[in-house]
Amino acid sequence: MGKRAYNFNAGPAALPLAVLERAQAEFVDFHGTGMSIMEMSHRGAVYEGVHNEASSRLLQLLGNPQGYKVLFLQGGASTQFAMIPMNLLTEGKVGAYVKTGSWANKAIKEAKLIGETVVAASSEEDKYMSIPDLSKLQLPENAAYLHLTSNETIEGTQFTQYPDTGSVPLIADMSSDILCRPFDLSQFGMVYAGAQKNLGPSGVTVVIAREELVNDSPKHIPSMLRYDTHANNNSLYNTPPSFSIYMVNEVLRWIEEQGGLQAVEKNNREKAALLYDAIDNSGGFFRGCASKESRSLMNVTFRLADEELEKQFIKLSEQEGFVGLKGHRSVGGLRASIYNAVPYDNIKALVDFMNHFQQQNG
Ligand SMILES: *Cc1c(COP(=O)(O)O)cnc(C)c1O
């Protein structure tokens, strides 16, 4: 096998090598069936076994809380931005949003097309470089839900704790940090994530929701956009993205093999500390973008003195086998996405490269 790239892509992103190898071994003949998992009926027992295993494994990793359902949907997290208000923002209610950056703003934009929204907290004044303090959050009495973006992938900020919203369902877009650490699902009405960052390949969106939020959708919504269609048909109302779901199941198995979410968190903290320390100890040559208390464990955003130097950094890094270090086009700068599957050694290699680059250009 050729050398694996030092993959710091933001999404689709690195997958665990062990998962790719297992998928490769099972690719042409899945468990002696003479077929790939991709070639099977989604109504057959073999596929359904994988499908149900993925769902129960996910709940198991989250401590098997009662009253939650896992849905496997399509259309990305971006479709959830619309499905949430379509299904839950009913007449007379208001959708409350925490405005933390690029992805939160996209969620708000969609909700505004559907109904009334309110910004419950915002870090816009801080150019989205921090997570607002939600300890004194006041929610309107008629709030249908509070929506937050657990990790802002583009700005590189992340919630460290989630607000207590009482009887108002808390909904989190966890696309870029789901399963990076343990979390208490019972605090949430719903969490959702496009799979292509921390859960698997693109093509499937995972929704974990309290049953009462997804069992009875307003009747005027088209079938595919109703949560109850999917909840009441075990996400098999129509053809699911079967190969992507199979891959999610394998990534979840890999997380179990790592020792579960606590072990994953420990690794992630070590990885992030290695990189943030390199930035902080560079004497200002590298500068972290997010404020320290809001720094993401998953997306490390940083800058150099000027754009010319950043261009040079990216060009040289690519020559050395590093992929995906360019910041999002909307904010510029540099970004290393260090999701669960990115090995510690790759970050070590990046830090060595950064030190070398500073020696040459500092
Ligand atoms: C990537 C991302 C999305 C968009 O996901 P798609 O699956 O491409 O629609 C939404 N929210 C966050 C936080 C993301 O990182």
Side-chain angles (χ1 to χ4, degrees), residues 10-11 75-81 103-104 106 149-154 173-177 192-197 202-205 299 335 339:
S78 301
T79 297
Q80 294 312 303
F81 296 164
W103 288 115
K106 287 202 167 165
T149 309
S150 180
N151 184 78
E152 284 284 3
T153 322
I154 291 173
D173 176 0
M174 291 197 179
S175 292
S176 50
D177 71 344
Y192 64 97
Q196 68 273 17
K197 282 138 190 171
S202 61
V204 63
T205 306
N299 307 99
R335 171 176 58 176
Y339 300 120

Side-chain angles (χ1 to χ4, degrees), residues 24-281:
Q24 183 181 46
E26 298 180 335
F27 195 66
V28 175
D29 180 5
F30 185 76
H31 296 193
T33 57
M35 288 178 276
S36 159
I37 190 89
M38 281 186 284
E39 300 173 287
M40 284 176 199
S41 169
H42 59 291
R43 307 273 173 220
V46 175
Y47 174 71
E48 273 201 60
V50 170
H51 186 92
N52 294 336
E53 201 174 293
S55 155
S56 54
R57 232 184 250 290
L58 182 55
L59 289 175
Q60 178 74 37
L61 279 167
L62 295 170
N64 262 333
Q66 289 307 294
Y68 286 84
K69 275 194 175 168
V70 173
L71 310 181
F72 297 118
L73 306 181
Q74 298 188 62
S78 301
T79 297
Q80 294 312 303
F81 296 164
M83 270 179 81
I84 289 163
M86 285 174 100
N87 283 266
L88 302 174
L89 187 45
T90 47
E91 196 65 37
K93 297 250 181 170
V94 58
Y97 283 79
V98 185
K99 194 169 151 74
T100 44
S102 306
W103 288 115
N105 279 329
K106 287 202 167 165
I108 295 167
K109 180 177 163 224
E110 295 302 290
K112 279 185 171 164
L113 299 170
I114 312 286
E116 200 193 326
T117 62
V118 65
V119 172
S122 171
S123 57
E124 190 173 10
E125 282 192 0
D126 192 27
K127 297 200 168 68
Y128 303 125
M129 288 301 121
S130 61
I131 296 293
D133 176 15
L134 300 186
S135 59
K136 293 185 192 74
L137 192 69
Q138 293 281 334
L139 287 176
E141 234 163 68
N142 60 341
Y145 53 79
L146 177 73
H147 179 283
L148 61 79
T149 309
S150 180
N151 184 78
E152 284 284 3
T153 322
I154 291 173
E155 287 81 3
T157 59
Q158 184 178 26
F159 280 82
T160 50
Q161 52 189 22
Y162 300 109
D164 178 1
T165 51
S167 59
V168 175
L170 178 60
I171 299 181
D173 176 0
M174 291 197 179
S175 292
S176 50
D177 71 344
I178 192 165
L179 306 190
C180 81
R181 59 190 177 192
F183 69 96
D184 179 7
L185 183 61
S186 71
Q187 256 193 289
F188 294 88
M190 179 184 294
V191 305
Y192 64 97
Q196 68 273 17
K197 282 138 190 171
N198 239 358
L199 290 178
S202 61
V204 63
T205 306
V206 175
V207 174
I208 315 170
R210 256 186 213 292
E211 278 164 13
E212 64 267 24
L213 292 183
V214 292
N215 278 356
D216 189 17
S217 305
K219 297 299 170 227
H220 66 276
I221 306 174
S223 307
M224 280 299 288
L225 298 173
R226 311 164 61 91
Y227 284 123
D228 62 359
T229 298
H230 303 287
N232 298 334
N233 290 285
N234 189 27
S235 305
L236 290 165
Y237 171 74
N238 74 321
T239 317
S242 49
F243 188 74
S244 295
I245 294 168
Y246 155 78
M247 287 293 285
V248 167
N249 186 40
E250 291 309 317
V251 169
L252 297 172
R253 188 199 306 277
W254 174 81
I255 290 176
E256 287 171 2
E257 288 165 1
Q258 301 302 295
L261 295 182
Q262 251 122 21
V264 165
E265 177 178 25
K266 183 170 173 284
N267 288 340
N268 283 332
R269 289 200 181 280
E270 284 168 11
K271 285 154 51 184
L274 180 62
L275 188 46
Y276 283 120
D277 284 349
I279 292 166
D280 293 341
N281 297 332

